[in-house]
């Protein structure tokens, strides 16, 4: 007969729960918070990259309908949803990329 088998099982489940929390749930919630902060802090003049790989400068931010207009170059502007922005870039990134070509 096994004595204390139930307690060992509970301890094992708690340990697995903690491992799952620290390696899956916590990092995911941290990434979601960072993305939410990124989207709420978008402003005119920011250089951004979209999840499709487009790099542009924000020319207009509309708070009411969740769209932004970005300039890809001097003559091309596109309207995208804020949700497609994955990163803000340092000022001058677009100019540096154009100078490389």
């Amino acid at each position: 007969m096994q004595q204390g088998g139930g307690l060992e099982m509970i301890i094992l489940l708690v340990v697995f729960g903690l491992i799952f929390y620290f390696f899956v749930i916590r990092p995911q919630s941290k990434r979601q918070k960072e993305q939410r902060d990124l989207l709420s802090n978008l402003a005119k003049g920011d250089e951004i990259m979209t999840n499709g790989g487009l790099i542009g400068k924000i020319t207009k931010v509309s708070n009411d309908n969740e769209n932004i207009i970005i300039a890809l170059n001097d003559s091309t502007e596109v309207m995208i949803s804020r949700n497609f922005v994955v990163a803000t870039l340092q000022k001058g990134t677009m100019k540096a990329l154009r100078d490389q070509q």
Side-chain angles (χ1 to χ4, degrees):
M1 296 217 179
Q2 255 185 340
Q3 298 272 334
L7 183 59
E8 291 173 1
M9 184 61 80
I10 291 173
I11 292 173
L12 188 63
L13 287 173
V14 168
V15 169
F16 281 131
L18 289 173
I19 290 171
F20 185 77
Y21 174 76
F22 282 107
F23 286 106
V24 177
I25 296 172
R26 189 167 179 236
Q28 179 64 26
S29 64
K30 186 176 179 182
R31 278 191 295 272
Q32 286 175 343
K33 183 181 182 292
E34 289 171 354
Q35 181 69 12
R36 194 170 42 249
D37 291 342
L38 170 80
L39 295 179
S40 66
N41 293 328
L42 291 177
K44 182 178 178 179
D46 287 348
E47 294 183 10
I48 60 160
M49 182 167 61
T50 68
N51 64 356
L54 295 176
I55 295 176
K57 183 182 274 191
I58 297 176
T59 58
K60 184 177 179 185
V61 177
S62 178
N63 289 330
D64 55 337
N65 64 3
E66 295 297 317
N67 291 326
I68 59 173
I69 297 176
I70 62 171
L72 302 177
N73 56 32
D74 294 334
S75 61
T76 308
E77 289 186 341
V78 293
M79 180 185 296
I80 63 168
S81 173
R82 285 178 182 246
N83 296 327
F84 288 103
V85 176
V86 294
T88 55
L89 306 173
Q90 293 180 349
K91 300 279 187 204
T93 301
M94 287 180 62
K95 184 176 181 328
L97 289 173
R98 276 191 220 131
D99 292 343
Q100 286 180 353
Q101 295 176 353

PDB file of all heavy atoms in Angstrom, residues 58-97:
ATOM      1  N   ILE A  58       4.303  57.434 -40.414  1.00  0.00           N
ATOM      2  CA  ILE A  58       2.900  57.764 -40.174  1.00  0.00           C
ATOM      3  C   ILE A  58       2.669  59.232 -40.534  1.00  0.00           C
ATOM      4  O   ILE A  58       3.366  60.112 -40.043  1.00  0.00           O
ATOM      5  CB  ILE A  58       2.517  57.505 -38.704  1.00  0.00           C
ATOM      6  CG1 ILE A  58       2.664  56.023 -38.363  1.00  0.00           C
ATOM      7  CG2 ILE A  58       1.091  57.976 -38.429  1.00  0.00           C
ATOM      8  CD1 ILE A  58       2.400  55.680 -36.914  1.00  0.00           C
ATOM      9  N   THR A  59       1.667  59.449 -41.407  1.00  0.00           N
ATOM     10  CA  THR A  59       1.321  60.820 -41.781  1.00  0.00           C
ATOM     11  C   THR A  59       0.019  61.269 -41.141  1.00  0.00           C
ATOM     12  O   THR A  59      -0.214  62.458 -41.006  1.00  0.00           O
ATOM     13  CB  THR A  59       1.210  60.968 -43.313  1.00  0.00           C
ATOM     14  OG1 THR A  59       0.224  60.060 -43.791  1.00  0.00           O
ATOM     15  CG2 THR A  59       2.544  60.711 -43.973  1.00  0.00           C
ATOM     16  N   LYS A  60      -0.831  60.328 -40.770  1.00  0.00           N
ATOM     17  CA  LYS A  60      -2.089  60.688 -40.123  1.00  0.00           C
ATOM     18  C   LYS A  60      -2.527  59.545 -39.219  1.00  0.00           C
ATOM     19  O   LYS A  60      -2.504  58.384 -39.619  1.00  0.00           O
ATOM     20  CB  LYS A  60      -3.175  60.966 -41.169  1.00  0.00           C
ATOM     21  CG  LYS A  60      -4.480  61.446 -40.565  1.00  0.00           C
ATOM     22  CD  LYS A  60      -5.500  61.786 -41.640  1.00  0.00           C
ATOM     23  CE  LYS A  60      -6.786  62.236 -40.995  1.00  0.00           C
ATOM     24  NZ  LYS A  60      -7.840  62.463 -41.974  1.00  0.00           N
ATOM     25  N   VAL A  61      -2.929  59.887 -38.002  1.00  0.00           N
ATOM     26  CA  VAL A  61      -3.437  58.915 -37.039  1.00  0.00           C
ATOM     27  C   VAL A  61      -4.884  59.263 -36.746  1.00  0.00           C
ATOM     28  O   VAL A  61      -5.193  60.389 -36.390  1.00  0.00           O
ATOM     29  CB  VAL A  61      -2.626  58.924 -35.726  1.00  0.00           C
ATOM     30  CG1 VAL A  61      -3.208  57.956 -34.718  1.00  0.00           C
ATOM     31  CG2 VAL A  61      -1.176  58.601 -35.991  1.00  0.00           C
ATOM     32  N   SER A  62      -5.768  58.296 -36.911  1.00  0.00           N
ATOM     33  CA  SER A  62      -7.176  58.518 -36.633  1.00  0.00           C
ATOM     34  C   SER A  62      -7.554  57.699 -35.409  1.00  0.00           C
ATOM     35  O   SER A  62      -7.529  56.473 -35.446  1.00  0.00           O
ATOM     36  CB  SER A  62      -8.007  58.102 -37.845  1.00  0.00           C
ATOM     37  OG  SER A  62      -9.356  58.266 -37.571  1.00  0.00           O
ATOM     38  N   ASN A  63      -7.866  58.361 -34.318  1.00  0.00           N
ATOM     39  CA  ASN A  63      -8.209  57.656 -33.077  1.00  0.00           C
ATOM     40  C   ASN A  63      -9.586  57.019 -33.116  1.00  0.00           C
ATOM     41  O   ASN A  63      -9.852  56.060 -32.414  1.00  0.00           O
ATOM     42  CB  ASN A  63      -8.134  58.614 -31.885  1.00  0.00           C
ATOM     43  CG  ASN A  63      -6.712  58.997 -31.560  1.00  0.00           C
ATOM     44  OD1 ASN A  63      -5.789  58.226 -31.777  1.00  0.00           O
ATOM     45  ND2 ASN A  63      -6.533  60.193 -31.042  1.00  0.00           N
ATOM     46  N   ASP A  64     -10.476  57.554 -33.944  1.00  0.00           N
ATOM     47  CA  ASP A  64     -11.859  57.068 -33.905  1.00  0.00           C
ATOM     48  C   ASP A  64     -12.087  55.788 -34.695  1.00  0.00           C
ATOM     49  O   ASP A  64     -12.932  54.989 -34.340  1.00  0.00           O
ATOM     50  CB  ASP A  64     -12.819  58.154 -34.383  1.00  0.00           C
ATOM     51  CG  ASP A  64     -12.449  58.679 -35.752  1.00  0.00           C
ATOM     52  OD1 ASP A  64     -11.278  58.546 -36.140  1.00  0.00           O
ATOM     53  OD2 ASP A  64     -13.335  59.231 -36.421  1.00  0.00           O
ATOM     54  N   ASN A  65     -11.337  55.540 -35.769  1.00  0.00           N
ATOM     55  CA  ASN A  65     -11.647  54.357 -36.565  1.00  0.00           C
ATOM     56  C   ASN A  65     -10.513  53.340 -36.671  1.00  0.00           C
ATOM     57  O   ASN A  65     -10.561  52.454 -37.502  1.00  0.00           O
ATOM     58  CB  ASN A  65     -12.138  54.765 -37.960  1.00  0.00           C
ATOM     59  CG  ASN A  65     -11.064  55.473 -38.753  1.00  0.00           C
ATOM     60  OD1 ASN A  65      -9.933  55.634 -38.319  1.00  0.00           O
ATOM     61  ND2 ASN A  65     -11.428  55.902 -39.939  1.00  0.00           N
ATOM     62  N   GLU A  66      -9.482  53.501 -35.862  1.00  0.00           N
ATOM     63  CA  GLU A  66      -8.408  52.516 -35.771  1.00  0.00           C
ATOM     64  C   GLU A  66      -7.580  52.363 -37.042  1.00  0.00           C
ATOM     65  O   GLU A  66      -6.942  51.349 -37.240  1.00  0.00           O
ATOM     66  CB  GLU A  66      -8.964  51.138 -35.351  1.00  0.00           C
ATOM     67  CG  GLU A  66      -9.549  51.112 -33.962  1.00  0.00           C
ATOM     68  CD  GLU A  66      -8.524  51.399 -32.887  1.00  0.00           C
ATOM     69  OE1 GLU A  66      -7.402  50.883 -32.957  1.00  0.00           O
ATOM     70  OE2 GLU A  66      -8.856  52.181 -31.996  1.00  0.00           O
ATOM     71  N   ASN A  67      -7.595  53.349 -37.923  1.00  0.00           N
ATOM     72  CA  ASN A  67      -6.770  53.309 -39.125  1.00  0.00           C
ATOM     73  C   ASN A  67      -5.689  54.361 -39.043  1.00  0.00           C
ATOM     74  O   ASN A  67      -5.854  55.392 -38.396  1.00  0.00           O
ATOM     75  CB  ASN A  67      -7.616  53.543 -40.377  1.00  0.00           C
ATOM     76  CG  ASN A  67      -8.544  52.390 -40.638  1.00  0.00           C
ATOM     77  OD1 ASN A  67      -8.224  51.245 -40.367  1.00  0.00           O
ATOM     78  ND2 ASN A  67      -9.714  52.684 -41.162  1.00  0.00           N
ATOM     79  N   ILE A  68      -4.574  54.097 -39.738  1.00  0.00           N
ATOM     80  CA  ILE A  68      -3.517  55.088 -39.860  1.00  0.00           C
ATOM     81  C   ILE A  68      -3.126  55.165 -41.325  1.00  0.00           C
ATOM     82  O   ILE A  68      -3.323  54.221 -42.085  1.00  0.00           O
ATOM     83  CB  ILE A  68      -2.284  54.747 -38.987  1.00  0.00           C
ATOM     84  CG1 ILE A  68      -1.696  53.396 -39.366  1.00  0.00           C
ATOM     85  CG2 ILE A  68      -2.613  54.806 -37.522  1.00  0.00           C
ATOM     86  CD1 ILE A  68      -0.397  53.066 -38.665  1.00  0.00           C
ATOM     87  N   ILE A  69      -2.582  56.290 -41.713  1.00  0.00           N
ATOM     88  CA  ILE A  69      -2.075  56.462 -43.073  1.00  0.00           C
ATOM     89  C   ILE A  69      -0.566  56.573 -42.968  1.00  0.00           C
ATOM     90  O   ILE A  69      -0.042  57.364 -42.174  1.00  0.00           O
ATOM     91  CB  ILE A  69      -2.684  57.709 -43.739  1.00  0.00           C
ATOM     92  CG1 ILE A  69      -4.194  57.530 -43.871  1.00  0.00           C
ATOM     93  CG2 ILE A  69      -2.040  57.953 -45.095  1.00  0.00           C
ATOM     94  CD1 ILE A  69      -4.924  58.722 -44.414  1.00  0.00           C
ATOM     95  N   ILE A  70       0.127  55.751 -43.757  1.00  0.00           N
ATOM     96  CA  ILE A  70       1.589  55.780 -43.742  1.00  0.00           C
ATOM     97  C   ILE A  70       2.102  56.123 -45.129  1.00  0.00           C
ATOM     98  O   ILE A  70       1.526  55.722 -46.141  1.00  0.00           O
ATOM     99  CB  ILE A  70       2.208  54.453 -43.239  1.00  0.00           C
ATOM    100  CG1 ILE A  70       1.843  53.278 -44.127  1.00  0.00           C
ATOM    101  CG2 ILE A  70       1.823  54.178 -41.816  1.00  0.00           C
ATOM    102  CD1 ILE A  70       2.585  52.004 -43.794  1.00  0.00           C
ATOM    103  N   ALA A  71       3.195  56.878 -45.156  1.00  0.00           N
ATOM    104  CA  ALA A  71       3.866  57.226 -46.402  1.00  0.00           C
ATOM    105  C   ALA A  71       4.995  56.234 -46.609  1.00  0.00           C
ATOM    106  O   ALA A  71       5.887  56.100 -45.767  1.00  0.00           O
ATOM    107  CB  ALA A  71       4.410  58.641 -46.330  1.00  0.00           C
ATOM    108  N   LEU A  72       4.937  55.499 -47.730  1.00  0.00           N
ATOM    109  CA  LEU A  72       5.981  54.538 -48.040  1.00  0.00           C
ATOM    110  C   LEU A  72       7.180  55.214 -48.702  1.00  0.00           C
ATOM    111  O   LEU A  72       8.311  54.784 -48.548  1.00  0.00           O
ATOM    112  CB  LEU A  72       5.428  53.446 -48.951  1.00  0.00           C
ATOM    113  CG  LEU A  72       4.234  52.672 -48.387  1.00  0.00           C
ATOM    114  CD1 LEU A  72       3.717  51.673 -49.405  1.00  0.00           C
ATOM    115  CD2 LEU A  72       4.593  51.974 -47.091  1.00  0.00           C
ATOM    116  N   ASN A  73       6.895  56.274 -49.458  1.00  0.00           N
ATOM    117  CA  ASN A  73       7.928  57.121 -50.050  1.00  0.00           C
ATOM    118  C   ASN A  73       7.322  58.501 -50.230  1.00  0.00           C
ATOM    119  O   ASN A  73       6.267  58.788 -49.680  1.00  0.00           O
ATOM    120  CB  ASN A  73       8.485  56.531 -51.353  1.00  0.00           C
ATOM    121  CG  ASN A  73       7.401  56.276 -52.375  1.00  0.00           C
ATOM    122  OD1 ASN A  73       6.415  56.993 -52.440  1.00  0.00           O
ATOM    123  ND2 ASN A  73       7.588  55.245 -53.178  1.00  0.00           N
ATOM    124  N   ASP A  74       7.945  59.348 -51.029  1.00  0.00           N
ATOM    125  CA  ASP A  74       7.454  60.723 -51.181  1.00  0.00           C
ATOM    126  C   ASP A  74       6.111  60.802 -51.899  1.00  0.00           C
ATOM    127  O   ASP A  74       5.375  61.771 -51.733  1.00  0.00           O
ATOM    128  CB  ASP A  74       8.491  61.566 -51.924  1.00  0.00           C
ATOM    129  CG  ASP A  74       9.764  61.731 -51.106  1.00  0.00           C
ATOM    130  OD1 ASP A  74       9.678  61.649 -49.865  1.00  0.00           O
ATOM    131  OD2 ASP A  74      10.833  61.919 -51.713  1.00  0.00           O
ATOM    132  N   SER A  75       5.767  59.803 -52.705  1.00  0.00           N
ATOM    133  CA  SER A  75       4.545  59.903 -53.503  1.00  0.00           C
ATOM    134  C   SER A  75       3.504  58.824 -53.203  1.00  0.00           C
ATOM    135  O   SER A  75       2.430  58.848 -53.779  1.00  0.00           O
ATOM    136  CB  SER A  75       4.905  59.832 -54.989  1.00  0.00           C
ATOM    137  OG  SER A  75       5.531  58.597 -55.273  1.00  0.00           O
ATOM    138  N   THR A  76       3.789  57.874 -52.323  1.00  0.00           N
ATOM    139  CA  THR A  76       2.867  56.766 -52.074  1.00  0.00           C
ATOM    140  C   THR A  76       2.448  56.721 -50.612  1.00  0.00           C
ATOM    141  O   THR A  76       3.288  56.634 -49.721  1.00  0.00           O
ATOM    142  CB  THR A  76       3.515  55.412 -52.438  1.00  0.00           C
ATOM    143  OG1 THR A  76       4.027  55.477 -53.760  1.00  0.00           O
ATOM    144  CG2 THR A  76       2.519  54.285 -52.320  1.00  0.00           C
ATOM    145  N   GLU A  77       1.132  56.795 -50.406  1.00  0.00           N
ATOM    146  CA  GLU A  77       0.574  56.651 -49.065  1.00  0.00           C
ATOM    147  C   GLU A  77      -0.438  55.525 -49.075  1.00  0.00           C
ATOM    148  O   GLU A  77      -1.141  55.327 -50.063  1.00  0.00           O
ATOM    149  CB  GLU A  77      -0.116  57.940 -48.607  1.00  0.00           C
ATOM    150  CG  GLU A  77       0.830  59.064 -48.301  1.00  0.00           C
ATOM    151  CD  GLU A  77       0.127  60.271 -47.717  1.00  0.00           C
ATOM    152  OE1 GLU A  77      -1.103  60.391 -47.881  1.00  0.00           O
ATOM    153  OE2 GLU A  77       0.813  61.086 -47.086  1.00  0.00           O
ATOM    154  N   VAL A  78      -0.508  54.785 -47.967  1.00  0.00           N
ATOM    155  CA  VAL A  78      -1.494  53.714 -47.830  1.00  0.00           C
ATOM    156  C   VAL A  78      -2.167  53.828 -46.473  1.00  0.00           C
ATOM    157  O   VAL A  78      -1.578  54.316 -45.511  1.00  0.00           O
ATOM    158  CB  VAL A  78      -0.866  52.301 -47.982  1.00  0.00           C
ATOM    159  CG1 VAL A  78      -0.371  52.062 -49.389  1.00  0.00           C
ATOM    160  CG2 VAL A  78       0.251  52.077 -46.996  1.00  0.00           C
ATOM    161  N   MET A  79      -3.417  53.361 -46.434  1.00  0.00           N
ATOM    162  CA  MET A  79      -4.155  53.333 -45.175  1.00  0.00           C
ATOM    163  C   MET A  79      -4.151  51.893 -44.682  1.00  0.00           C
ATOM    164  O   MET A  79      -4.470  50.969 -45.440  1.00  0.00           O
ATOM    165  CB  MET A  79      -5.596  53.802 -45.381  1.00  0.00           C
ATOM    166  CG  MET A  79      -6.408  53.790 -44.086  1.00  0.00           C
ATOM    167  SD  MET A  79      -8.141  54.194 -44.325  1.00  0.00           S
ATOM    168  CE  MET A  79      -8.042  55.855 -44.896  1.00  0.00           C
ATOM    169  N   ILE A  80      -3.778  51.713 -43.426  1.00  0.00           N
ATOM    170  CA  ILE A  80      -3.766  50.376 -42.835  1.00  0.00           C
ATOM    171  C   ILE A  80      -4.439  50.429 -41.468  1.00  0.00           C
ATOM    172  O   ILE A  80      -4.588  51.494 -40.878  1.00  0.00           O
ATOM    173  CB  ILE A  80      -2.331  49.807 -42.683  1.00  0.00           C
ATOM    174  CG1 ILE A  80      -1.496  50.663 -41.728  1.00  0.00           C
ATOM    175  CG2 ILE A  80      -1.651  49.672 -44.031  1.00  0.00           C
ATOM    176  CD1 ILE A  80      -0.211  50.030 -41.301  1.00  0.00           C
ATOM    177  N   SER A  81      -4.793  49.277 -40.972  1.00  0.00           N
ATOM    178  CA  SER A  81      -5.314  49.161 -39.616  1.00  0.00           C
ATOM    179  C   SER A  81      -4.148  49.234 -38.636  1.00  0.00           C
ATOM    180  O   SER A  81      -3.058  48.733 -38.912  1.00  0.00           O
ATOM    181  CB  SER A  81      -6.049  47.836 -39.453  1.00  0.00           C
ATOM    182  OG  SER A  81      -6.414  47.638 -38.109  1.00  0.00           O
ATOM    183  N   ARG A  82      -4.373  49.849 -37.501  1.00  0.00           N
ATOM    184  CA  ARG A  82      -3.339  49.919 -36.456  1.00  0.00           C
ATOM    185  C   ARG A  82      -2.839  48.527 -36.061  1.00  0.00           C
ATOM    186  O   ARG A  82      -1.682  48.369 -35.683  1.00  0.00           O
ATOM    187  CB  ARG A  82      -3.900  50.564 -35.196  1.00  0.00           C
ATOM    188  CG  ARG A  82      -4.088  52.007 -35.231  1.00  0.00           C
ATOM    189  CD  ARG A  82      -4.704  52.422 -33.897  1.00  0.00           C
ATOM    190  NE  ARG A  82      -4.947  53.843 -33.892  1.00  0.00           N
ATOM    191  CZ  ARG A  82      -4.316  54.677 -33.091  1.00  0.00           C
ATOM    192  NH1 ARG A  82      -3.451  54.246 -32.233  1.00  0.00           N
ATOM    193  NH2 ARG A  82      -4.583  55.952 -33.150  1.00  0.00           N
ATOM    194  N   ASN A  83      -3.722  47.551 -36.116  1.00  0.00           N
ATOM    195  CA  ASN A  83      -3.375  46.208 -35.645  1.00  0.00           C
ATOM    196  C   ASN A  83      -2.273  45.547 -36.464  1.00  0.00           C
ATOM    197  O   ASN A  83      -1.703  44.555 -36.032  1.00  0.00           O
ATOM    198  CB  ASN A  83      -4.612  45.319 -35.632  1.00  0.00           C
ATOM    199  CG  ASN A  83      -5.644  45.820 -34.664  1.00  0.00           C
ATOM    200  OD1 ASN A  83      -5.313  46.389 -33.626  1.00  0.00           O
ATOM    201  ND2 ASN A  83      -6.902  45.632 -34.994  1.00  0.00           N
ATOM    202  N   PHE A  84      -1.968  46.084 -37.653  1.00  0.00           N
ATOM    203  CA  PHE A  84      -0.925  45.495 -38.489  1.00  0.00           C
ATOM    204  C   PHE A  84       0.463  46.032 -38.173  1.00  0.00           C
ATOM    205  O   PHE A  84       1.446  45.574 -38.741  1.00  0.00           O
ATOM    206  CB  PHE A  84      -1.249  45.700 -39.970  1.00  0.00           C
ATOM    207  CG  PHE A  84      -2.387  44.852 -40.437  1.00  0.00           C
ATOM    208  CD1 PHE A  84      -3.643  45.395 -40.620  1.00  0.00           C
ATOM    209  CD2 PHE A  84      -2.211  43.501 -40.664  1.00  0.00           C
ATOM    210  CE1 PHE A  84      -4.705  44.612 -41.034  1.00  0.00           C
ATOM    211  CE2 PHE A  84      -3.261  42.708 -41.071  1.00  0.00           C
ATOM    212  CZ  PHE A  84      -4.508  43.258 -41.259  1.00  0.00           C
ATOM    213  N   VAL A  85       0.567  46.997 -37.275  1.00  0.00           N
ATOM    214  CA  VAL A  85       1.866  47.548 -36.896  1.00  0.00           C
ATOM    215  C   VAL A  85       2.523  46.590 -35.899  1.00  0.00           C
ATOM    216  O   VAL A  85       1.926  46.196 -34.908  1.00  0.00           O
ATOM    217  CB  VAL A  85       1.710  48.948 -36.261  1.00  0.00           C
ATOM    218  CG1 VAL A  85       3.052  49.469 -35.769  1.00  0.00           C
ATOM    219  CG2 VAL A  85       1.085  49.908 -37.258  1.00  0.00           C
ATOM    220  N   VAL A  86       3.767  46.199 -36.209  1.00  0.00           N
ATOM    221  CA  VAL A  86       4.470  45.280 -35.310  1.00  0.00           C
ATOM    222  C   VAL A  86       5.639  45.932 -34.590  1.00  0.00           C
ATOM    223  O   VAL A  86       6.087  45.428 -33.571  1.00  0.00           O
ATOM    224  CB  VAL A  86       4.970  44.010 -36.046  1.00  0.00           C
ATOM    225  CG1 VAL A  86       3.814  43.172 -36.517  1.00  0.00           C
ATOM    226  CG2 VAL A  86       5.894  44.347 -37.185  1.00  0.00           C
ATOM    227  N   ALA A  87       6.137  47.057 -35.114  1.00  0.00           N
ATOM    228  CA  ALA A  87       7.279  47.696 -34.455  1.00  0.00           C
ATOM    229  C   ALA A  87       7.382  49.150 -34.876  1.00  0.00           C
ATOM    230  O   ALA A  87       6.987  49.518 -35.982  1.00  0.00           O
ATOM    231  CB  ALA A  87       8.578  46.979 -34.818  1.00  0.00           C
ATOM    232  N   THR A  88       7.916  49.958 -33.987  1.00  0.00           N
ATOM    233  CA  THR A  88       8.309  51.313 -34.354  1.00  0.00           C
ATOM    234  C   THR A  88       9.821  51.292 -34.544  1.00  0.00           C
ATOM    235  O   THR A  88      10.539  50.581 -33.841  1.00  0.00           O
ATOM    236  CB  THR A  88       7.934  52.343 -33.270  1.00  0.00           C
ATOM    237  OG1 THR A  88       8.500  51.948 -32.029  1.00  0.00           O
ATOM    238  CG2 THR A  88       6.435  52.475 -33.130  1.00  0.00           C
ATOM    239  N   LEU A  89      10.277  52.053 -35.509  1.00  0.00           N
ATOM    240  CA  LEU A  89      11.693  52.070 -35.854  1.00  0.00           C
ATOM    241  C   LEU A  89      12.316  53.381 -35.404  1.00  0.00           C
ATOM    242  O   LEU A  89      11.621  54.370 -35.171  1.00  0.00           O
ATOM    243  CB  LEU A  89      11.852  51.901 -37.369  1.00  0.00           C
ATOM    244  CG  LEU A  89      11.164  50.676 -37.971  1.00  0.00           C
ATOM    245  CD1 LEU A  89      11.247  50.729 -39.485  1.00  0.00           C
ATOM    246  CD2 LEU A  89      11.783  49.403 -37.444  1.00  0.00           C
ATOM    247  N   GLN A  90      13.624  53.396 -35.325  1.00  0.00           N
ATOM    248  CA  GLN A  90      14.337  54.616 -34.953  1.00  0.00           C
ATOM    249  C   GLN A  90      14.173  55.652 -36.059  1.00  0.00           C
ATOM    250  O   GLN A  90      14.069  55.306 -37.237  1.00  0.00           O
ATOM    251  CB  GLN A  90      15.815  54.333 -34.748  1.00  0.00           C
ATOM    252  CG  GLN A  90      16.113  53.456 -33.569  1.00  0.00           C
ATOM    253  CD  GLN A  90      17.609  53.209 -33.437  1.00  0.00           C
ATOM    254  OE1 GLN A  90      18.386  53.522 -34.314  1.00  0.00           O
ATOM    255  NE2 GLN A  90      17.997  52.631 -32.310  1.00  0.00           N
ATOM    256  N   LYS A  91      14.162  56.911 -35.668  1.00  0.00           N
ATOM    257  CA  LYS A  91      14.082  57.992 -36.653  1.00  0.00           C
ATOM    258  C   LYS A  91      15.266  57.885 -37.607  1.00  0.00           C
ATOM    259  O   LYS A  91      16.386  57.630 -37.191  1.00  0.00           O
ATOM    260  CB  LYS A  91      14.112  59.354 -35.960  1.00  0.00           C
ATOM    261  CG  LYS A  91      12.986  59.583 -34.988  1.00  0.00           C
ATOM    262  CD  LYS A  91      11.738  60.001 -35.696  1.00  0.00           C
ATOM    263  CE  LYS A  91      10.696  60.381 -34.648  1.00  0.00           C
ATOM    264  NZ  LYS A  91       9.368  60.270 -35.113  1.00  0.00           N
ATOM    265  N   GLY A  92      14.991  58.029 -38.893  1.00  0.00           N
ATOM    266  CA  GLY A  92      16.051  57.974 -39.898  1.00  0.00           C
ATOM    267  C   GLY A  92      16.246  56.608 -40.515  1.00  0.00           C
ATOM    268  O   GLY A  92      17.081  56.447 -41.408  1.00  0.00           O
ATOM    269  N   THR A  93      15.512  55.608 -40.085  1.00  0.00           N
ATOM    270  CA  THR A  93      15.661  54.258 -40.628  1.00  0.00           C
ATOM    271  C   THR A  93      15.280  54.224 -42.101  1.00  0.00           C
ATOM    272  O   THR A  93      15.982  53.610 -42.920  1.00  0.00           O
ATOM    273  CB  THR A  93      14.800  53.254 -39.841  1.00  0.00           C
ATOM    274  OG1 THR A  93      15.212  53.273 -38.481  1.00  0.00           O
ATOM    275  CG2 THR A  93      14.959  51.858 -40.385  1.00  0.00           C
ATOM    276  N   MET A  94      14.187  54.881 -42.459  1.00  0.00           N
ATOM    277  CA  MET A  94      13.755  54.884 -43.862  1.00  0.00           C
ATOM    278  C   MET A  94      14.806  55.556 -44.751  1.00  0.00           C
ATOM    279  O   MET A  94      15.122  55.059 -45.832  1.00  0.00           O
ATOM    280  CB  MET A  94      12.412  55.600 -44.009  1.00  0.00           C
ATOM    281  CG  MET A  94      11.244  54.811 -43.485  1.00  0.00           C
ATOM    282  SD  MET A  94       9.690  55.688 -43.663  1.00  0.00           S
ATOM    283  CE  MET A  94       9.575  55.879 -45.435  1.00  0.00           C
ATOM    284  N   LYS A  95      15.359  56.657 -44.295  1.00  0.00           N
ATOM    285  CA  LYS A  95      16.374  57.362 -45.080  1.00  0.00           C
ATOM    286  C   LYS A  95      17.613  56.492 -45.231  1.00  0.00           C
ATOM    287  O   LYS A  95      18.198  56.410 -46.317  1.00  0.00           O
ATOM    288  CB  LYS A  95      16.732  58.687 -44.399  1.00  0.00           C
ATOM    289  CG  LYS A  95      17.699  59.535 -45.199  1.00  0.00           C
ATOM    290  CD  LYS A  95      17.934  60.855 -44.504  1.00  0.00           C
ATOM    291  CE  LYS A  95      18.853  61.783 -45.226  1.00  0.00           C
ATOM    292  NZ  LYS A  95      19.905  61.295 -46.004  1.00  0.00           N
ATOM    293  N   ALA A  96      18.006  55.825 -44.183  1.00  0.00           N
ATOM    294  CA  ALA A  96      19.186  54.959 -44.251  1.00  0.00           C
ATOM    295  C   ALA A  96      18.951  53.804 -45.231  1.00  0.00           C
ATOM    296  O   ALA A  96      19.860  53.436 -45.973  1.00  0.00           O
ATOM    297  CB  ALA A  96      19.520  54.426 -42.864  1.00  0.00           C
ATOM    298  N   LEU A  97      17.742  53.243 -45.231  1.00  0.00           N
ATOM    299  CA  LEU A  97      17.448  52.149 -46.150  1.00  0.00           C
ATOM    300  C   LEU A  97      17.441  52.640 -47.602  1.00  0.00           C
ATOM    301  O   LEU A  97      17.888  51.928 -48.501  1.00  0.00           O
ATOM    302  CB  LEU A  97      16.104  51.502 -45.790  1.00  0.00           C
ATOM    303  CG  LEU A  97      16.084  50.697 -44.514  1.00  0.00           C
ATOM    304  CD1 LEU A  97      14.655  50.251 -44.176  1.00  0.00           C
ATOM    305  CD2 LEU A  97      16.990  49.484 -44.625  1.00  0.00           C
TER     306      LEU A  97
END
